[in-house]
Amino acid sequence: MLHKNVVKLLNEQVNKELFSAYLYLDMANYYAKEGLNGFENWFKIQAMEERDHAMLFRQYLLNNGHEVKFTAIADPSRDYKNHKEPLTGALEHEHYVTDSIHAIYTEAVAVKDYRTMQFLDWFVKEQGEEEMNAEDNIRKYELAGERALFMLDHAFAGRSYSAPSLELD
Ligand code: MG
């Protein structure tokens, strides 16, 4: 069994990851509406990864004999005014998720929960990659600009889904 403070934060993280999936799917909807199907593809795959993260937190709780509690997922819809806004929104959101993962880690350290620290190590690394990808997308957008956006759209169409390297069963 894990410490109740850690369990509470892990449960909340399931919701945050599902919200992330919802948020990125909403961004995919925006790009679909704009006719940028490569951007849509990139965010649709991002949403799948976030769902995978939620599944991992859920499974970790269950594997440690804890109940998984679901709460309502917030409305993710935003009024995007241009093609760059979802990209900067995604980076902001990943900073928020990184802080959230770090807060669970801090609590695990406080209660000497070494198992959870080890589980979270994968997510600490993953967040580094998520932030790097989000920054990279902004940089690519700035380089391409609106006039060459179709080239970037073509590149984003090439992103394919792969399951997370961390597996729990
Ligand atoms: Mg995530």
Side-chain angles (χ1 to χ4, degrees):
M1 299 289 271
L2 308 172
H3 191 282
K4 64 175 184 356
N5 295 355
V6 172
V7 170
K8 183 175 176 286
L9 294 174
L10 289 170
N11 257 302
E12 286 170 7
Q13 194 62 34
V14 176
N15 187 282
K16 287 175 185 175
E17 299 292 345
L18 289 173
F19 174 77
S20 301
Y22 224 32
L23 178 70
Y24 290 136
L25 209 48
D26 182 64
M27 291 174 177
N29 294 345
Y30 163 76
Y31 286 120
K33 191 183 69 186
E34 294 294 307
L36 290 165
N37 299 109
F39 281 72
E40 177 200 6
N41 175 63
W42 200 95
F43 279 99
K44 220 162 58 175
I45 289 167
Q46 191 61 30
M48 288 160 82
E49 284 196 10
E50 301 304 344
R51 177 211 55 196
D52 291 340
H53 297 164
M55 299 285 263
L56 287 165
F57 281 102
R58 172 189 173 273
Q59 197 61 51
Y60 182 74
L61 282 163
L62 291 175
N63 288 0
N64 284 282
H66 294 283
E67 230 183 292
V68 181
K69 296 253 192 216
F70 287 160
T71 51
I73 302 167
D75 182 348
S77 52
R78 305 276 188 275
D79 186 20
Y80 298 117
K81 291 181 184 63
N82 56 61
H83 298 139
K84 191 181 178 183
E85 274 190 9
L87 304 178
T88 52
L91 178 60
E92 251 173 64
H93 183 68
E94 288 305 328
H95 285 152
Y96 162 77
V97 175
T98 298
D99 288 347
S100 181
I101 302 273
H102 290 179
I104 311 173
Y105 209 108
T106 301
E107 192 57 35
V109 170
V111 301
K112 296 187 166 57
D113 179 353
Y114 301 107
R115 191 186 307 159
T116 298
M117 285 182 229
Q118 201 213 23
F119 168 69
L120 289 175
D121 281 339
W122 186 86
F123 286 94
V124 172
K125 183 166 175 272
E126 174 71 11
Q127 281 313 117
E129 287 167 17
E130 299 284 39
E131 287 183 22
M132 191 182 71
N133 290 340
E135 283 165 12
D136 201 44
N137 287 349
I138 294 168
R139 208 170 304 125
K140 281 179 181 149
Y141 174 87
E142 284 168 352
L143 281 170
E146 282 293 314
R147 286 171 67 90
L149 209 57
F150 71 94
M151 286 167 66
L152 189 52
D153 192 55
H154 185 73
F156 281 171
R159 185 184 188 189
S160 58
Y161 170 76
S162 57
S165 60
L166 178 66
E167 282 181 54
L168 297 181
D169 40 38

